[in-house]
Amino acid sequence: MHVIGGTASTSLAERISRELGNAPFAIPFTKRFPDGEMYVRVGGRFEGEDVVVVQSTRADQDLIELLLLEDAVREAGARRVFVVVPYLGYARQDRRFFPGEPVSARTFCRHIELDADAVVTVDLHSRQTLAHFSKPAFEASGIPAIARLLRERPIDLLVSPDQGGIDRVRRMAQILDKPWFALQKKRLDSEHVELSLPAALPGPIDGKQVVIVDDVISTGGTIVEAAKLLTKRNVASISAACTHGLFLKDGFERIKAVVDEVFSTDTLGNPAEKASVAPDIAQILLRETAS
Ligand code: R5P
């Protein structure tokens, strides 16, 4: 099996190759034509081989690069192409909210799978997005990676910033054997939210070492508001953990000002990247390439 790391996911791709028993790993050559179009070239031939292409699609150009890489490895003789998209961009537009809108997540899935035999992604905004793939598609979870990290730290309590994150925080709580609860969240606009404590808590929270667990940190607004609310309740410490750390604008600095530590996985490069999803992705690839 060969692993190709797109420019958006080079480090994670290398970690995945190590988890696959030091599978040959390569970074393709990329450049821009004078008109701005992208050029990619993969080295060598993959005749009869399985090839894994790893590329998050955070920026629009990442998708173009991924599509070109898929075609390039096919042209180079790949027998099967496994596409790993650690962070699937546009996944939050997973339905038509207003007339005239696209279902962006669906069209991304359709295009990504064109030259793929299977797709692996991590913590989708909505699990139903997997159904938009017609080829075999798998979702790895960022929870085990974060849990491996949190196991080494003193923690009393886990908190989801919204009710939508209950399954996630419950799973983390089960692995770490800790109590949890979920805040009530009302989104005011794309950057502002209003949070409140639920009617019932699992016990007193003052003096506790708390970790807020979310799938995505985008602008950081949710974590900042959650941290402010918990600080008012005199918790001893607050950490924030997420699978996908986008940290838009000054999001990272804003969060760092109100929490003790920030953790994220390596689905997107960022200053909080402390846990790797490589073992969890590799496990799926090993299982699927064995068949
Ligand atoms: C919402 O459904 C997600 O789980 C995150 O809570 C949200 O995307 C975070 O966004 P922001 O960092 O902009 O508050």
Side-chain angles (χ1 to χ4, degrees):
M1 195 173 352
H2 289 252
V3 179
I4 305 290
T7 50
S9 301
T10 312
S11 306
L12 174 54
E14 192 169 10
R15 285 181 205 122
I16 292 172
S17 75
R18 285 202 293 272
E19 293 291 335
L20 294 172
N22 289 324
F25 166 69
I27 299 172
F29 173 76
T30 59
K31 70 168 186 177
R32 292 264 172 200
F33 287 110
D35 61 2
E37 289 183 358
M38 188 178 287
Y39 172 88
V40 306
R41 191 170 72 233
V42 294
R45 299 281 309 162
F46 305 115
E47 230 67 62
E49 299 266 6
D50 287 337
V51 179
V52 179
V53 179
V54 187
Q55 171 83 330
S56 280
T57 54
R58 174 187 180 163
D60 294 357
Q61 72 231 32
D62 300 335
L63 176 66
I64 303 291
E65 182 181 332
L66 176 58
L67 300 180
L68 296 177
L69 286 174
E70 289 181 37
D71 196 67
V73 297
R74 283 267 181 230
E75 282 292 317
R79 180 172 76 102
R80 291 186 299 184
V81 179
F82 291 82
V83 173
V84 176
V85 189
Y87 173 76
L88 182 75
Y90 288 77
R92 282 175 281 187
Q93 180 80 18
D94 56 1
R95 59 199 163 94
R96 184 169 48 79
F97 297 92
F98 295 102
E101 290 181 345
V103 180
S104 311
R106 181 181 60 205
T107 193
F108 258 57
C109 295
R110 283 179 181 164
H111 287 83
I112 285 170
E113 73 170 9
L114 264 180
D115 261 314
D117 289 279
V119 180
V120 181
T121 184
V122 184
D123 280 353
L124 286 163
H125 179 66
S126 135
R127 194 137 210 283
Q128 285 83 306
T129 299
L130 272 191
H132 294 315
F133 291 106
S134 61
K135 311 260 178 79
F138 308 92
E139 185 188 26
S141 169
I143 296 290
I146 300 280
R148 287 191 285 272
L149 190 78
L150 294 183
R151 228 182 240 127
E152 297 158 18
R153 287 167 161 82
I155 299 166
D156 300 315
L157 187 58
L158 300 168
V159 175
S160 167
D162 53 41
Q163 301 290 308
I166 284 183
D167 285 349
R168 187 176 315 115
V169 75
R170 192 189 280 135
R171 184 166 171 209
M172 179 87 87
Q174 268 164 2
I175 298 174
L176 298 172
D177 193 22
K178 301 289 175 194
W180 64 273
F181 69 89
L183 299 173
Q184 311 276 357
K185 173 160 121 180
K186 185 172 160 204
R187 185 160 280 287
L188 304 176
D189 60 41
S190 60
E191 295 193 23
H192 300 97
V193 296
E194 208 171 75
L195 298 177
S196 55
L197 289 170
L201 292 169
I205 61 172
D206 54 303
K208 302 289 185 206
Q209 315 210 57
V210 179
V211 182
I212 308 164
V213 183
D214 210 345
D215 56 344
V216 188
I217 296 179
S218 188
T219 63
T222 300
I223 297 293
V224 168
E225 289 308 312
K228 283 187 194 162
L229 184 64
L230 294 167
T231 302
K232 278 192 210 144
R233 298 297 299 251
N234 299 319
V235 297
S237 71
I238 304 172
S239 302
C242 68
T243 300
H244 307 297
L246 286 161
F247 301 114
L248 304 180
K249 299 186 196 163
D250 58 350
F252 186 69
E253 288 69 31
R254 285 174 59 228
I255 292 172
K256 280 293 290 173
V258 290
V259 309
D260 298 277
E261 200 168 358
V262 192
F263 311 102
S264 120
T265 77
D266 51 357
T267 58
L268 296 160
N270 65 52
E273 181 183 306
K274 292 175 187 154
S276 182
V277 290
D280 311 281
I281 291 173
Q283 197 180 22
I284 294 173
L285 290 169
L286 287 169
R287 187 189 69 211
E288 294 307 311
T289 51
S291 54

